[in-house]
């Protein structure tokens, strides 16, 4: 390849992807930890990733929680506090603005945000944008892996928001269910657990009908989440990927942009 071709590849890919996204009726935006990296939220598998430092089988499985709920709660409490100190970045804000602009259009067109993240930063960006514009917040993000800011009862399964600090000094101080008194657990999906079928179905359905699927900041290694992108591509969607590194999806993508989400997502979705 001639050197000039390499120089040309990125702007051309970006321009083509921008055009596809702005011309599309239906867009699915599928995100992973990389979209929040520039907010200061650690990813899982890269440098500084949580699974480099911690063993998932000790902290993020139902067996780990049954064995040592205090340890698991301590870790989730730490992650919750860490994320609470972070704020949405330019990528979250550009995604929220793009979705809001399409929602305003009052047609069949639409943007579905599907995330593997439990950090709530897409939702915060949506709420902040809605507040700025004095509009109701759509709160329509499909959260495949649950939320750090919610709990679920280990006995009666009742779910509720939960943002109070976790006191993990002992088993006795852990949060308990208001209706049945049993131990509460973080409302996240652990390894070996099934995803909420209603949320997964809605995500698959959006993928099947998407004109464009934009994938941002995921290693695309965790199933079934990763199949949202392959399903969309198989159903005919243009697949656009933004990632700091190559992933298993890169070869399948129509356009694969290598770089930071905080710069590339606004460049793709922004007005100018
Ligand atoms: P990973 O940590 O596996 O992947 C993060 C991806 O983001 C990598 O491909 C990085 O190259 C990329 N990345 C990092 N910084 C970036 C940046 N600033 N801009 C763009 N890309 C960047 O995270 P996920 O793919 O989200 O599951 O992991 C999937 C699931 O595995 C998570 O939801 C979690 C984890 O175990 C559960 O909690 C159930
Ligand atoms: Zn209960």
């Amino acid at each position: 390849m001639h050197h000039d071709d390499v120089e040309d590849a990125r702007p051309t890919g970006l321009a083509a992807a921008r055009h596809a996204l702005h011309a599309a009726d239906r867009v699915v935006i599928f995100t992973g930890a990389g979209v929040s990296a520039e907010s200061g939220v650690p990813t899982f598998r890269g440098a500084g990733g949580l699974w480099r430092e911690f063993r998932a089988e000790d902290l993020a499985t139902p067996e780990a929680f049954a064995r040592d709920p205090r340890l698991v709660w301590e870790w989730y409490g730490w992650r919750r506090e860490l994320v609470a100190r972070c704020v949405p970045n330019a990528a979250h804000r550009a995604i929220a603005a793009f979705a809001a602009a399409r929602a305003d259009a009052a047609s069949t067109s639409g943007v579905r945000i599907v995330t593997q993240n439990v950090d709530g930063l897409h939702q915060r960006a949506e709420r902040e944008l809605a507040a700025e514009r004095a509009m109701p917040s759509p709160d329509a993000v499909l959260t495949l892996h649950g939320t750090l800011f919610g709990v679920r009862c280990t006995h009666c399964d009742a779910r509720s928001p939960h943002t109070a600090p976790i006191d993990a000094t002992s088993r006795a101080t852990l949060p308990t269910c208001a209706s049945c008194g049993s131990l509460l657990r973080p409302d996240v999906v652990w390894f070996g657990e099934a995803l909420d079928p209603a949320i997964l179905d809605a995500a698959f359905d959006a993928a099947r009908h998407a004109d464009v699927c934009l994938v941002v900041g995921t290693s695309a290694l965790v199933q079934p989440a990763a199949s949202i992108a392959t399903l969309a591509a198989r159903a005919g969607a243009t697949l656009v990927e933004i990632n700091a590194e190559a992933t298993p999806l890169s070869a399948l993508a129509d356009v694969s942009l290598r770089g930071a989400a905080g710069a590339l997502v606004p460049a793709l979705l922004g007005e100018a």
Side-chain angles (χ1 to χ4, degrees):
M1 194 188 270
H2 193 264
H3 181 69
D4 287 348
D5 295 334
V6 178
E7 297 281 279
D8 283 343
R10 181 174 297 226
T12 307
L14 185 90
R18 240 188 96 78
H19 181 262
L21 277 155
H22 287 269
D25 262 346
R26 297 185 184 199
V27 177
V28 168
I29 302 177
F30 173 52
T31 69
V35 79
S36 298
E38 289 154 86
S39 292
V41 181
T43 63
F44 293 95
R45 291 172 184 80
L50 293 171
W51 298 151
R52 297 279 184 97
E53 192 181 343
F54 302 100
R55 282 157 41 97
E57 52 273 46
D58 293 340
L59 298 165
T61 66
E63 294 76 20
F65 190 73
R67 203 164 47 229
D68 194 346
R70 196 208 62 75
L71 177 73
V72 172
W73 259 126
E74 184 173 59
W75 193 64
Y76 278 92
W78 167 72
R79 287 179 62 198
R80 188 193 275 185
E81 280 174 31
L82 190 162
V83 165
R85 288 194 301 269
C86 297
V87 294
N89 66 51
H92 300 108
R93 290 196 300 270
I95 290 168
F98 185 73
R102 298 312 185 87
D104 289 350
S107 65
T108 56
S109 68
V111 177
R112 212 68 168 107
I113 302 167
V114 182
T115 191
Q116 300 166 87
N117 299 344
V118 293
D119 59 29
L121 290 178
H122 284 301
Q123 298 90 323
R124 268 163 70 185
E126 286 200 331
R127 285 197 298 272
E128 283 168 16
L129 183 73
E132 235 169 67
R133 297 181 178 178
M135 281 164 40
S137 178
D139 214 14
V141 178
L142 293 173
T143 50
L144 295 171
H145 292 163
T147 171
L148 285 176
F149 301 96
V151 289
R152 208 163 92 207
C153 179
T154 53
H155 178 69
C156 75
D157 235 29
R159 274 196 161 86
S160 50
H162 191 285
T163 54
I166 301 298
D167 181 353
T169 44
S170 76
R171 170 75 169 72
T173 59
L174 297 178
T176 51
C177 179
S179 38
C180 82
S182 301
L183 185 62
L184 293 170
R185 56 165 281 178
D187 191 8
V188 297
V189 177
W190 284 325
F191 288 102
E193 293 187 314
L195 278 61
D196 182 323
I199 295 176
L200 189 61
D201 281 355
F204 280 162
D205 196 54
R208 268 192 293 270
H209 295 103
D211 301 311
V212 179
C213 178
L214 171 63
V215 183
V216 185
T218 177
S219 59
L221 294 171
V222 172
Q223 294 292 354
S227 56
I228 285 163
T230 45
L231 181 61
R234 267 209 307 280
T238 299
L239 189 63
V240 179
E241 176 184 59
I242 292 176
N243 199 298
E245 296 168 8
T247 76
L249 289 179
S250 302
L252 187 68
D254 295 281
V255 179
S256 188
L257 301 168
R258 205 67 74 244
L264 287 172
V265 174
L268 263 188
L269 300 181
E271 299 287 329

